Amino acid sequence: MTSPFGRYRNAEAASTHLPPPSYLLASLKADCLNKPFAQRCHDLATVIEEFPAKELHAIFPWLVENIFGSLDGVILGWNLRCLQGRTNPTEYNIALEFLDPGGPMMKLVYKLQAEEYRYDFPVSYLPGPVKVSIQERILPECSLYHNKVQFPSSGGLGLNLVLNPFEYCMFYFAISLITQRNIPLTCHVSTSNSAYFVLVGRYLKWFLPTEGSVLPPPSSDPGGVPSPAPRSPAVPFTSYGMHPTSLLKRHVAHQPSVNADPASQEIWRSETLLQIFVEMWLHHYSLDMYQKMQSPHIKELFKPTEEHVLVIRLLVKHLHAFSNSLKPEPVSPSAHSHTASPLAEFKRIVMPRFVQQKLYVFLQHCFGHWPLDASFRAVLEMWLSYLQPWRYAPEKPVLSAESQPRSVSEKWAPFIQENLLMYTKLFVGFLNRALRTDLVSPKNALMVFRVAKVFAQPNLAEMIQKGEQLFLETDLVVPPRQHRLFVSPSFGGSFLSSRTPAITDISFKVKSHVYSLEGQDFQYKQMFGPEVRNLVLRLAQLIGQAQQTAKSISDHSIEATASQSFFSWLRFGPSDLNGSYTGNDLDEIGQDSIKKTDEYLEKALEYLCQIFRLNEAQLNQLMLNWGAAQDENGKKQLPDCIESEDGLILTPLGRYQIINGLRRFPVEYQGDPELQPIRSYENTTLVRLLFQLSSAINRRFAGSLETLCTKEGFLGSFCRYHLCNPGLAEKARHSPLSKQNLGQIRQPRVSLRFLASYRTLLSLLLMYFIASWFCIGPVTCTFLLFIGYLFYAVLMTFFSEKRKPHQS
């Protein structure tokens, strides 16, 4: 049978009026509707292999959009974010094979690259700061956009970037993570197992290798892939300032000859890929926008997702491994004359020049605007991954017999000093978040534990403190902020040749880092200063309170379980409908997680004490000062209040205690038990019928019930035990409940709601069933149950009267 591409060649020979590329494109579009995914990919690989670049040029933009989706998010393409091996193994493997760095798609890219084809990418879909900058005809600092902006002849509408095939493909791949972030997932998807996540990892390993060099692109041309030539019209641009010459410009952009250095080619692809990833994923907030976003009245323009953050973390981890794979230069006289290879130089500056500034602003935004829920864990782990480059160093730690954490080596001191704000200001940001979260929740407790554990690594706090001391040196004048990038750590050597020594040079670098990110007028808040120390003490106090709360919940749960005894199943009295604590997710997870929460908080408090050198006496005094002492019964004290005719009224001190979380009233239902919502373990119809019956009895015999309960002696006690609820009234006395409602609760009345409980009904049926085994009829069984309960009620009445004199 003739293939569609054979028919295409026949049609090409028979029909000269139809342009061949248009027919090929129409044929491929028809195949998308009629053929299965595997067959389409196989046919595409055949087309890429057999057809010349001239004909492939016309289908390339359609193919890229068909795979990665449209820029407006309407077309999903292959939906790589939801494509997983466990659900669609065949399509998953075929897609990865086709889009692999050595697969058919990249072969197509290199084929078109050799012919110097260019494609337009709309500026309107670029991240906000870049789009605004280009529309205002200000050249962005990133060299990725240089010589690529194309203005239409009519004016300022329809701005485009003119990209080569490699850039065009990677732009679409990277931005698909952003354009499709608001599309709801039809099923539960594990981000780390999606085809998109796997492809990001493969591209990073291929173009930013930790071992060896980047493999050259397959090409029949001996000179390799030509460099992209500038094709933008001469338009007056205003630069942001003195920006160091990019490696792209230095090695590739001005080498039109075919005998280009292969190392230059690998640097061009490596730098381009990294710049595209950083620009599309991180550059959504400029420094100026970041300063404006500090105001709570500014509306958030871009909201990153958890999936977005996880992909950035993958990028950060790989860049650490890539940078750490740089071999140390030999210290010898001949080494000074040796010029480092482009790849080695790229590894040296990849983090400070390309990632640091944009990642810092991105993290600052997330710390200030991310919801106070467990999804912040993704942001937290990405931040902690950046703070620990030693975790991704090639040398493995030597395992000792003792299970003590490994000390952070002094060789990482320059990294810590040149990223001081990443450690200090973001730590303060995390403290402010932690003080507003419910630390009784296991997920929130885990996040506090993770941060405390990382910062408690031996020697890390000392190196951070040393970096702060270098910044606070006052004998150095730093140039103003408008040239913020010329003080980049990527410059080697000191600008202060007349000054001494290494300390001054290091101090200059630290100040340059801080002022380049925050501005010359930035008021630095010391991580080990008194203000932050007070925040840590507040967090320690909250941790102590959370531990007490978790313990009380655990004890209450154990008591509730133990109370489900044989007699509690048979007791004919009102059920305790306030037995569950609904303040957090502990009851849903279980006792094991409660214990885990306590362990997390205990270890976190221990680590904080190590970092900030807190002692037990300080913590104990803190707990007393903040009103966390317990009363004689081991329960948290109530807020300060006074009794009035309308119940408890908060004093100014009591309001202060509640606002600051020092004390609180027990949150539980304290109204009429008969009017509580129908529970899942109750029969709806029976609850309503029995309520009507009870109400009728209480209205008819209200006076008689009151008289019986006011009598002295055993009969009065017996009636009070069944018709009154002293426990509920006692709880209401310790709450801001009006005396009118309290009086209604204290009135004696009949309550038959317990008979609507499935537990009660099941117990009665079980008793009748067991009695039938012993040939005991229903009437006799009912009489025996009545006698048994009467005996039980007499004993409970006697013991309740005995305990009453000891109650206050």
Side-chain angles (χ1 to χ4, degrees), residues 328-336:
E329 296 182 1
V331 182
S332 62
S334 60
H336 295 285

Side-chain angles (χ1 to χ4, degrees), residues 1-166:
M1 186 174 67
T2 307
S3 69
F5 308 109
R7 292 196 301 270
Y8 154 70
R9 295 193 181 278
N10 295 334
E12 179 185 1
S15 177
T16 57
H17 66 276
L18 181 65
S22 300
Y23 186 84
L24 175 62
L25 180 59
S27 176
L28 292 175
K29 287 183 178 180
D31 289 345
C32 287
L33 302 175
N34 303 322
K35 289 187 176 182
F37 182 77
Q39 184 62 40
R40 296 203 312 266
C41 290
H42 179 268
D43 291 345
L44 284 172
T46 304
V47 169
I48 293 170
E49 191 70 31
E50 296 181 357
F51 280 69
K54 182 179 179 181
E55 299 174 5
L56 297 174
H57 165 61
I59 71 168
F60 183 66
W62 168 84
L63 180 60
V64 170
E65 185 177 88
N66 182 258
I67 294 174
F68 302 123
S70 58
L71 295 175
D72 56 9
V74 175
I75 301 175
L76 290 180
W78 290 3
N79 201 9
L80 299 173
R81 296 166 53 245
C82 298
L83 191 58
Q84 293 199 324
R86 61 181 180 85
T87 55
N88 298 298
T90 304
E91 294 184 3
Y92 174 83
N93 293 324
I94 292 174
L96 291 182
E97 182 180 355
F98 187 85
L99 298 174
D100 189 80
M105 189 64 185
M106 277 299 162
K107 291 180 181 178
L108 171 61
V109 168
Y110 297 139
K111 211 170 188 178
L112 298 173
Q113 190 91 10
E115 300 296 331
E116 299 189 47
Y117 285 111
R118 296 293 182 269
Y119 303 90
D120 291 341
F121 187 94
V123 170
S124 59
Y125 290 104
L126 292 175
V130 179
K131 176 176 63 177
V132 172
S133 175
I134 294 178
Q135 288 175 346
E136 295 177 355
R137 299 200 174 190
I138 300 176
L139 183 65
E141 295 170 342
C142 179
S143 61
L144 179 67
Y145 306 105
H146 296 181
N147 299 322
K148 293 184 176 66
V149 182
Q150 184 180 55
F151 288 86
S153 56
S154 58
L157 297 177
L159 295 172
N160 292 305
L161 295 181
V162 181
L163 306 176
N164 62 48
F166 182 81

Side-chain angles (χ1 to χ4, degrees), residues 338 390 441 494 506 622 794 798:
H338 173 69
W390 47 87
S441 168
S494 171
I506 296 174
L622 175 72
V794 169
F798 177 76

Side-chain angles (χ1 to χ4, degrees), residues 359-469:
L359 181 63
Y360 172 74
V361 176
F362 184 87
L363 283 171
Q364 276 281 33
H365 174 271
C366 290
F367 274 60
H369 294 80
W370 199 279
L372 292 172
D373 57 23
S375 65
F376 185 73
R377 175 78 186 278
V379 179
L380 188 80
E381 293 298 338
M382 187 251 287
W383 172 50
L384 297 180
S385 294
Y386 184 84
L387 298 186
Q388 303 177 87
W390 47 87
R391 290 186 57 192
Y392 312 101
E395 64 271 12
K396 300 298 180 182
V398 179
L399 298 178
S400 59
E402 301 177 357
S403 60
Q404 295 182 350
R406 186 169 56 122
S407 176
V408 179
S409 172
E410 284 292 335
K411 79 172 189 175
W412 299 107
F415 178 87
I416 295 172
Q417 293 160 5
E418 294 169 7
N419 291 273
L420 185 63
L421 290 177
M422 287 283 195
Y423 289 88
T424 58
K425 188 172 182 182
L426 291 182
F427 180 82
V428 176
F430 175 76
L431 284 180
N432 290 324
R433 285 186 62 93
L435 291 172
R436 293 179 290 159
T437 56
D438 178 18
L439 298 184
V440 183
S441 168
K443 296 176 181 177
N444 292 335
L446 175 60
M447 286 191 281
V448 175
F449 164 75
R450 289 283 297 123
V451 173
K453 182 179 180 181
V454 168
F455 278 84
Q457 293 178 84
N459 201 34
L460 178 57
E462 289 77 6
M463 286 194 284
I464 295 174
Q465 199 164 9
K466 182 179 178 182
E468 289 190 320
Q469 293 170 357

Side-chain angles (χ1 to χ4, degrees), residues 675-726:
L675 300 179
Q676 292 191 77
I678 298 175
R679 299 299 196 262
S680 60
Y681 53 81
E682 293 178 320
N683 184 279
T684 305
T685 304
L686 284 178
V687 168
R688 292 169 178 166
L689 291 176
L690 292 172
F691 174 74
Q692 295 176 3
L693 178 60
S694 301
S695 301
I697 295 174
N698 292 328
R699 285 194 302 268
R700 177 69 177 82
F701 301 102
S704 301
L705 297 177
E706 182 108 19
T707 303
L708 287 173
C709 291
T710 55
K711 287 186 176 182
E712 297 294 334
F714 178 78
L715 179 59
S717 300
F718 187 84
C719 292
R720 285 192 295 272
Y721 175 77
H722 288 87
L723 301 177
C724 298
N725 193 344

Side-chain angles (χ1 to χ4, degrees), residues 18 227 639 757:
L18 181 65
S227 61
S757 170

